[in-house]
Amino acid sequence: MEAVDPRNSVPPGRVTPFYGFVAAVAALAILVSARPLTELPGRLAELPVAFWTMAALAVVCDARPFVPPGRRQPSAVFPSTCFTFAILLGWGLGPAVAVQTVAVVVSGWRMGHAAWRSGFNAAQYACALAAAAVVTGLGPGGIFEGGHLGWSDVLAVGGAAAAWFVANYGLVSTAIRWRFGGRWWPGVRSGLGYELISTGSLLLLAPVLVAAARASAALIPLVLVPLFAVYRMARLAAEQEHLGALDPLTGLPNRKALLAEVAEQVHLHAERAARGDPDAHLALLLIDLDRFKNVNDALGHAVGDRLLVEVSARLAGVVGERDLLARLGGDEFAIVSTGLTGVEAARETAERLVGALAEPVALDGLPLDVGGSIGIAIYPEHGEDFATLMRHADVAMYDAKQRSDTVAVYAAESDHNSAERLGLLADLRRVLESGPAGRDDGRGTAGVRGGDGAALPAALAPAAGRGGAGRSTVGFARWGARRHRERSGPAHPDELIQRIVTAADPIRHRAAATGTGPEQPVGPGVAGPEQTVEPGGGGAAEADPGTGPGAGVAYAEPAGRRTGPDEPGDPGEITMYYQPQVAIATGEVVGVEALLRWRHPRRGMVDPEELIRVAEQSAVMRLLTRRVVDDVVEQLAKWSAAGISLRAALNVSVRDLHTGEIADQIADRLARFGVPPERLQLEITEGALMADPRRVLATISRLHAIGVAIALDDFGTGYSSMQHLRRLPLSEVKVDRSFVLGMVDDADDAAIVRSMIELAGALGLRVVAEGVEDERTWRLLHAAGCDVAQGWFYARPMPAEELAAWLARYRPLRPAARGAESRPPRGR
């Protein structure tokens, strides 16, 4: 059974204006054609055979008009247009309107049009024929009445055809505007090309038909051959355009069709929003299948294609009639869901899609589990055009994948590829390619500087050409960008704002409650229970970005450093900061952690976590790795020459460990600078290990063979700690600061930290606690047997020259015997 044309109905809320327009067009048609039609009965006897032949062909051909395929159908091609326009030129308006009305009734019956629709079509054609008759009346008159046709006659025919087209197309486009809403001109423009080719060809064929009729009525049927050519041309053009908007595998609309649909729906929903309608939201849902690559690799692409066809059928079964399902390529699908009231309605659609993919797909008796991750972007909250909505839906979809979730709605904080971040990435590349201040780019040794910017003695300078663009290294991912960073900062001059910030920040809140923390550090720089120690880094009055490079707050500048914007185009300065690591039992400084800092000329200190997110997925990471390793090894050489023996720890990313090139780079730099391998330590996270354990283990083994120590960072936050402790050549584990910060107040955190320390000690591993902010935590760690502590209790991160000054005035602080302050909190 043939489907009912959806255009037979009128959307709610538009009935009155639309039917008012239809009535106006009908009244105009009656007005312009009433007199010619009343005169027609008296002329029927004198009409020639040629007229009756054309009239019969018009009605017969319109019984099967060509209706273009597609979701957004343009107007059908009615061959009667050619015959009725020829009748107008040859015998006047009355006969043309009469024949056209009969043809419209027949085609409407054949196509299942509603009565009002057939009536409007007859009226619009009558008005178009009347407009053409007016133009022919302005000509010399007597067209096709005998004699030779002149240029004025040809111009009159062309003008009449143009008038017919403008009147007919204008009335149809206006009716669509009144009926469905939307902007008038985009609707007119979208179908103009197709109408010019199809209807224009029929109109221009009419004069040829009349000329043939003057010679003999027997020639008229011959026009069916060029008429069929026009019909075929229109069909091929429409089918080609339709196929160009379809996915050849699944038959679903493709990206081109999706773009057109979103553009149209955005205009419609903008008008709904302007009227205050509640259903003015539009959702773009992007679906990426999970584990589809495994199916292709294991069973072949033929099975993968069959799976995509089955998935598309399932998705189509749950998509609403008003919505559009499209395949974008590969295993990606998109859905445009219209007329929504908000995000929750879009989530309901997404949950139906998830349910459709939950059941395994059986192919050749083999059940295949196919899930999917869905990202949602909402108009107008997340974008007002296709490109923006598509990008934000893509961001949400990848956010869902990373969180191992099925559905995610776009959130700005998950967008790591904004225009601002792309600009930041460009600035980062420039500052890395420009090299550190004073470095000669490998063309000599004069003026070479260490990581703190201080001049490096010529005896310690690296060989020419080191760090050049020709050497390939891998990326450096975190450099102390802590997952749970310290978020301390300077007190705000407005007391109310400061109270709000303190209440919202758990670290500040804890510090305010205990009277300690970053704003009031208690440690080697403050009088302790055993001795008075002269102020060190822990007692510095200035605020700091925090223990790791994860802080982007402002803080007091060291003397001589600029805080204002530089000249236009200056990308700023990259430096390394160092935070001491202190043996708890003896108070001896045994090492430092190297932390990355970037001072941007316009943004100030860039949040290092943001810096790493920006660079980690690009080739800039290789430049960043080279800079950090070079600067830290140089600084170790400089400290060694000054009689300072410290171990420096670097955080490395999964990309560093996957390629293994970092082992070659470190071996080369250690040899060139004469730094013992045991002076350098690399910190890796369990997340990096989980990404590709085999390749990571190979790289770690090479570094261990060189003599570089390996530490497991953020211990306790991963998923397979026991396995890693057993298999990896580790020398140290770092207890994550998220546990250390809560030791004083949370019995569970204290128990977790003690368990970690005992486990690592049993395996012969050194234990470092990060995030040590107050004396009580320090004493609890000592009581638990922790080896090394790092945090604001001792010192903030600082440039190398400040670290040297801090070491000169630092006096070790040893814990007293266990007392009341060192007892852990009672369990629940």
Side-chain angles (χ1 to χ4, degrees):
M1 180 177 178
E2 191 172 342
V4 178
D5 192 331
R7 291 185 293 182
N8 280 334
S9 60
V10 180
R14 311 202 66 89
V15 174
T16 300
F18 174 71
Y19 282 125
F21 177 76
V22 170
V25 173
L28 179 62
I30 294 173
L31 180 65
V32 298
S33 60
R35 182 176 178 181
L37 288 175
T38 56
E39 297 175 351
L40 180 59
R43 299 180 53 194
L44 291 179
E46 61 187 40
L47 291 175
V49 176
F51 164 79
W52 294 107
T53 303
M54 291 185 189
L57 291 176
V59 174
V60 171
C61 290
D62 264 16
R64 190 175 177 81
F66 168 57
V67 181
R71 174 182 173 88
R72 299 296 179 187
Q73 297 176 354
S75 299
V77 177
F78 294 97
S80 63
T81 300
C82 173
F83 296 105
T84 56
F85 189 63
I87 292 173
L88 171 71
L89 296 178
W91 297 282
L93 180 60
V97 171
V99 172
Q100 185 69 77
T101 300
V102 175
V104 166
V105 171
V106 171
S107 64
W109 168 78
R110 177 66 176 81
M111 298 174 67
H113 288 175
W116 66 262
R117 188 173 175 189
S118 295
F120 174 77
N121 288 343
Q124 86 187 33
Y125 283 125
C127 293
L129 290 169
V134 170
V135 174
T136 58
L138 297 177
I143 299 177
F144 301 112
E145 291 182 356
H148 181 70
L149 291 177
W151 285 107
S152 58
D153 297 317
V154 174
L155 291 176
V157 171
W164 189 102
F165 183 86
V166 170
N168 183 76
Y169 193 64
L171 290 174
V172 173
S173 300
T174 304
I176 293 175
R177 168 65 178 80
W178 281 111
R179 189 171 168 202
F180 298 109
R183 295 190 298 174
W184 183 78
W185 173 242
V188 171
R189 184 177 55 189
S190 63
L192 185 58
Y194 173 82
E195 292 291 342
L196 283 173
I197 292 176
S198 58
T199 306
S201 300
L202 294 174
L203 292 173
L204 296 179
L205 189 60
V208 178
L209 182 59
V210 177
R214 290 178 58 194
S216 172
L219 296 176
I220 295 178
L222 297 180
V223 80
L224 293 177
V225 176
L227 193 61
F228 176 77
V230 172
Y231 178 92
R232 187 62 177 169
M233 177 185 63
R235 174 180 288 275
L236 292 176
E239 289 178 350
Q240 184 177 9
E241 182 177 357
H242 179 60
L243 291 175
L246 290 182
D247 172 56
L249 176 64
T250 62
L252 296 176
N254 59 14
R255 181 181 293 268
K256 178 182 177 182
L258 179 69
L259 190 156
E261 177 73 6
V262 171
E264 179 178 348
Q265 291 296 337
V266 161
H267 294 314
L268 295 178
H269 285 71
E271 291 192 349
R272 292 181 184 178
R275 295 193 303 265
D277 294 346
D279 59 344
H281 295 271
L282 161 73
L284 179 60
L285 292 79
L286 192 62
I287 306 173
D288 185 81
L289 301 183
D290 298 332
R291 301 176 296 276
F292 178 73
K293 183 177 183 300
N294 298 339
V295 174
N296 268 345
D297 293 343
L299 304 178
H301 289 276
V303 176
D305 289 346
R306 291 171 57 196
L307 178 62
L308 289 175
V309 172
E310 177 62 27
V311 167
S312 66
R314 287 193 179 186
L315 295 177
V318 298
V319 171
E321 295 182 358
R322 298 182 305 172
D323 301 340
L324 175 73
L325 170 65
R327 181 185 176 221
L328 303 182
D331 59 346
E332 280 194 344
F333 296 84
I335 293 172
V336 181
S337 188
T338 60
L340 304 180
T341 56
V343 175
E344 290 306 316
R347 281 189 174 275
E348 291 176 3
T349 300
E351 293 300 332
R352 292 199 304 270
L353 297 172
V354 171
L357 298 176
E359 291 295 325
V361 178
L363 295 178
D364 298 333
L366 178 65
L368 300 176
D369 288 319
V370 180
S373 300
I374 303 178
I376 302 174
I378 304 293
Y379 168 89
E381 288 85 348
H382 303 149
E384 299 183 351
D385 58 76
F386 173 79
T388 304
L389 290 171
M390 189 67 184
R391 187 173 69 82
H392 288 171
D394 191 62
V395 169
M397 184 266 291
Y398 279 105
D399 184 37
K401 278 190 175 295
Q402 291 174 359
R403 294 190 286 106
S404 298
D405 202 350
T406 53
V407 180
V409 179
Y410 172 77
E413 56 267 23
S414 302
D415 192 351
H416 306 319
N417 298 300
S418 62
E420 180 182 4
R421 285 182 174 174
L422 291 177
L424 196 65
L425 179 63
D427 287 342
L428 179 60
R429 176 182 288 276
R430 289 169 55 211
V431 72
L432 291 172
E433 291 178 343
S434 64
R439 183 170 289 174
D440 65 348
D441 297 330
R443 292 186 291 270
T445 59
V448 175
R449 298 179 179 270
D452 61 347
L456 186 66
L460 298 176
R466 77 165 179 81
R471 181 171 294 278
S472 173
T473 61
V474 294
F476 200 86
R478 297 188 330 122
W479 300 299
R482 299 290 180 213
R483 185 177 304 132
H484 306 283
R485 63 180 183 272
E486 296 178 12
R487 294 165 287 182
S488 55
H492 197 280
D494 190 314
E495 181 181 357
L496 177 60
I497 295 179
Q498 178 65 16
R499 288 169 58 189
I500 295 173
V501 173
T502 301
D505 191 322
I507 297 177
R508 292 175 182 264
H509 184 72
R510 187 182 299 116
T514 60
T516 62
E519 284 76 14
Q520 296 177 328
V522 176
V526 181
E530 299 181 86
Q531 63 184 78
T532 301
V533 185
E534 70 176 311
E542 58 184 301
D544 184 81
T547 299
V553 295
Y555 66 100
E557 281 289 333
R561 292 185 181 269
R562 296 176 294 179
T563 58
D566 295 334
E567 311 84 33
D570 183 3
E573 176 186 9
I574 282 209
T575 56
M576 298 303 299
Y577 275 47
Y578 301 89
Q579 185 171 38
Q581 295 176 334
V582 181
I584 297 177
T586 65
E588 177 188 2
V589 180
V590 295
V592 293
E593 181 177 6
L595 307 172
L596 183 67
R597 294 290 186 265
W598 179 20
R599 183 178 306 282
H600 195 276
R602 293 176 300 279
R603 298 179 48 154
M605 292 297 288
V606 177
D607 184 338
E609 283 191 351
E610 180 180 8
L611 188 158
I612 298 307
R613 285 195 298 266
V614 165
E616 195 164 22
Q617 303 301 322
S618 71
V620 173
M621 294 302 297
R622 303 173 67 183
L623 301 176
L624 200 53
T625 296
R626 182 182 305 142
R627 168 68 67 82
V628 171
V629 172
D630 288 356
D631 284 359
V632 172
V633 176
E634 282 183 11
Q635 190 59 61
L636 286 173
K638 179 176 174 60
W639 282 334
S640 180
I644 301 174
S645 296
L646 292 174
R647 178 185 67 246
L650 298 175
N651 292 280
V652 294
S653 77
V654 62
R655 296 187 61 174
D656 298 322
L657 302 173
H658 276 183
T659 63
E661 293 181 17
I662 191 172
D664 297 330
Q665 181 193 10
I666 289 176
D668 175 73
R669 297 305 185 262
L670 292 174
R672 291 192 179 195
F673 285 99
V675 175
E678 60 269 16
R679 296 276 302 280
L680 190 67
Q681 176 173 284
L682 297 188
E683 297 181 356
I684 61 176
T685 64
E686 293 185 61
L689 296 174
M690 292 293 292
D692 192 336
R694 185 170 57 183
R695 286 199 293 176
V696 169
L697 182 59
T699 301
I700 291 176
S701 299
R702 291 182 58 195
L703 290 167
H704 179 70
I706 294 171
V708 176
I710 306 297
L712 185 62
D713 198 8
D714 296 344
F715 182 56
T717 61
Y719 301 98
S720 53
S721 303
M722 304 304 109
Q723 180 182 4
H724 295 160
L725 290 176
R726 178 174 59 86
R727 294 177 53 194
L728 299 176
L730 301 175
S731 60
E732 174 181 294
V733 293
K734 297 191 71 175
V735 180
D736 187 73
R737 66 188 305 272
S738 63
F739 301 111
V740 175
L741 285 173
M743 285 187 66
V744 173
D745 303 316
D746 192 318
D748 292 339
D749 283 351
I752 291 173
V753 172
R754 289 197 305 272
S755 300
M756 293 178 184
I757 293 173
E758 292 172 1
L759 175 63
L763 295 175
L765 301 176
R766 183 172 58 249
V767 181
V768 177
E770 55 184 355
V772 181
E773 294 188 351
D774 54 59
E775 181 181 354
R776 291 190 64 191
T777 303
W778 170 61
R779 292 187 179 278
L780 287 174
L781 289 169
H782 176 259
C786 185
D787 300 302
V788 180
Q790 169 186 342
W792 277 68
F793 175 71
Y794 289 105
R796 60 175 176 80
M798 61 192 83
E801 68 271 18
E802 292 186 22
L803 179 66
W806 182 88
L807 289 171
R809 67 176 183 268
Y810 172 75
R811 293 168 57 188
L813 180 64
R814 298 175 178 84
R818 299 180 183 179
E821 285 295 321
S822 63
R823 287 196 298 269
R826 294 182 180 273
R828 295 191 294 270

